[in-house]
Structure formats: C-alpha cells, structure tokens
Amino acid sequence: MSVSTAAYFARRAAQKERVQILYRRALRDTLNWAVHRHLFYQDASNLREKFDANNHVEDLDAIDRMIAEGEARYNKWRHPDPYIVPWAPGGSKFTRNPTPPAGIEILYDYGREDND
Amino acid sequence: MALRAVLLRQLRVPVQTLALASRKSQPWSFSSCIRLMSSHDDHLSKEQVIGRVLDVVKSFPKVDPSRVTPDVHFQKDLGLDSLDNVEIIMAIEEEFKLEIPDKEAVKIDSCNLAIEYVYNHPMAA
C-alpha cells in the first residue's frame, strides 16, 4: 500500500512540475503577445483563473489529459518572434563578444619603431 | 635623440596590466567613470542582490511585506501556491534581466535559493 502511495505522490509531483513549466511558458508567451503592461496584466489574470479552475482535480489520468490539452493549446499559440534576453541562446548577443582569454594583451605602440 | 628613445622606452605601458588591475579589484564607488575592458565584470554585491530580491517579493500582491526575510520559503512560510512561485521567479527574471532555464526555475523555492542563484549568475544586471 505504501508503494502505491509513494508512486502516486511521485506522479503528482511530476505533474506539478509539468504544470509549473507549462504555466511559466504560457505566462512568457502572454507577455510576448501583449507587450503593453496593462494588457498583459489582464491576460495574465485570465490565464491564472483558467489554471486555478482545475486546481482541485485529484484523478491522475484526468490531470494528465488536461496537461496534454494545455500543452497543445500552448503550442498552437506560440509567438513567432519571442523576446529572449540578448545573451541567452536565441538572443541577439549570444556568442557575440566572448571574453578575451586572460593573458592576451594589445600593446599600443602606434607605429613607433625600435630604432627611433 | 637617444635620450628621448630611452625615456619613451621607460614610459611604454602595456594595456594588459590596466585591464587586469581593474578586473581584480572590488567594484569601487566611482566605478562608473572607469572604463572596464570586458563587458562581463560588473558583479552585483550580495547586499544589492538581497535588497532587490526582497523588494520584488514584497511588491507581490499576495505577499504580506512584513513577513519577508532573506530566508523565507515561498510555499511554506508565505503560504503561496506553486503557480505564485512561478510568478515570483518570473518577476525576479525581469528585475535582473536573466534567463533561467525551466528545469532550474521550478526548483527555486525560497528566497535563499533565489538570492544564491542570482548572486552566482554571471550575467545578473
């Protein structure tokens, strides 16, 4: 009996993580679509209400089905040009100017010659 | 002519030592007027990180600001939901201009972890 409850809790924890990641991506997508902050706040509260309405479901299979539906809806609404932080992979500054390795120096001598 | 050459040779200062000196020293109070050689070396101090993270958490509408301390747990001490956790982490990402991968963001559960993560992140602004 304890084995099944441990497995049950493990599944619930995994589902909780999936829901959190889905909510995170959906929130970021909402910010991508609704750039102005007042619109974003309204859309974010709508999204939160949708998630909260299904908060109390206990059946594992129903939760799995709802997560799959949510992910399908997220995939359908993904923004084509999301905002990514510049230095992150996919951003505009990614691998643009890596730090110069230590020990490399530039000696500015402006063309001065040694026999001058 | 030879004296001038000797003098100029004495004054030849390589650029590298200046860069190393500015990178090794602690961020000075007037560091804004010194041009640092690399774009990756303005590290935030721990007090700044703690102050800003606590400000972000306190300005969350579902949080009671008087109960926020640097080692408070979001779900146990502040009574928040796991989705509220996600929202707080997104607010911290926006504050410090970070991009936290999904797997690690789910694991940040308390102020302690958030402060440590931001402090150890090389690109925290």
Side-chain angles (χ1 to χ4, degrees):
Chain A
M1 202 52 192
S2 64
V3 175
S4 69
T5 50
Y8 171 77
F9 281 124
R11 263 188 87 180
R12 282 298 288 264
Q15 282 172 348
K16 191 168 172 179
E17 218 178 277
R18 276 179 77 186
V19 169
Q20 277 183 313
I21 291 181
L22 176 63
Y23 181 61
R24 197 176 137 79
R25 290 192 184 155
L27 203 56
R28 217 181 249 153
D29 228 26
T30 321
L31 186 56
N32 282 333
W33 282 112
V35 182
H36 297 287
R37 215 64 194 192
H38 59 281
L39 300 172
F40 166 65
Y41 285 142
Q42 283 172 348
D43 288 342
S45 51
N46 289 346
L47 179 71
R48 183 64 198 264
E49 275 164 31
K50 280 190 210 150
F51 269 80
D52 278 339
N54 301 328
N55 218 357
H56 46 268
V57 178
E58 297 286 339
D59 181 23
L60 291 174
D61 296 326
I63 296 178
D64 276 339
R65 209 176 347 115
M66 278 195 271
I67 295 178
E69 272 175 45
E71 283 172 0
R73 207 184 306 170
Y74 164 71
N75 279 329
K76 183 176 154 209
W77 279 100
R78 286 178 71 167
H79 195 277
D81 184 20
Y83 171 74
I84 305 177
V85 176
W87 46 263
S92 56
K93 216 169 136 183
F94 184 51
T95 66
R96 190 180 262 193
N97 272 332
T99 46
I104 302 284
E105 61 187 65
I106 304 178
L107 268 180
Y108 291 108
D109 63 348
Y110 304 109
R112 180 190 306 128
E113 299 180 32
D114 274 331
N115 53 3
D116 200 356
Chain B
M1 200 55 182
L3 180 62
R4 177 170 163 253
V6 164
L7 278 177
L8 286 177
R9 220 174 289 127
Q10 294 298 319
L11 293 173
R12 187 178 293 181
V13 179
V15 177
Q16 180 224 8
T17 54
L18 284 176
L20 271 185
S22 62
R23 230 182 286 148
K24 275 190 194 147
S25 62
Q26 294 302 312
W28 302 327
S29 59
F30 49 90
S31 62
S32 55
C33 59
I34 295 180
R35 278 195 55 193
L36 302 173
M37 303 296 167
S38 138
S39 62
H40 290 260
D41 54 0
D42 63 334
H43 301 293
L44 296 170
S45 71
K46 194 84 185 240
E47 299 87 36
Q48 274 183 334
V49 172
I50 293 179
R52 282 165 76 178
V53 167
L54 288 186
D55 280 340
V56 165
V57 176
K58 280 179 197 165
S59 61
F60 199 65
K62 296 181 193 169
V63 160
D64 183 15
S66 58
R67 298 183 54 187
V68 174
T69 66
D71 53 358
V72 78
H73 195 272
F74 293 141
Q75 293 182 22
K76 291 184 201 152
D77 295 333
L78 294 176
L80 294 178
D81 201 4
S82 57
L83 298 183
D84 292 324
N85 199 354
V86 170
E87 287 182 17
I88 286 187
I89 295 170
M90 270 207 63
I92 292 178
E93 275 189 351
E94 286 186 352
E95 165 76 19
F96 290 99
K97 298 191 196 120
L98 292 179
E99 176 95 8
I100 307 181
D102 288 336
K103 291 283 183 183
E104 304 195 8
V106 169
K107 294 196 182 85
I108 297 183
D109 260 342
S110 66
C111 270
N112 257 340
L113 289 175
I115 291 170
E116 264 187 48
Y117 189 90
V118 170
Y119 184 62
N120 293 330
H121 199 107
M123 301 295 302

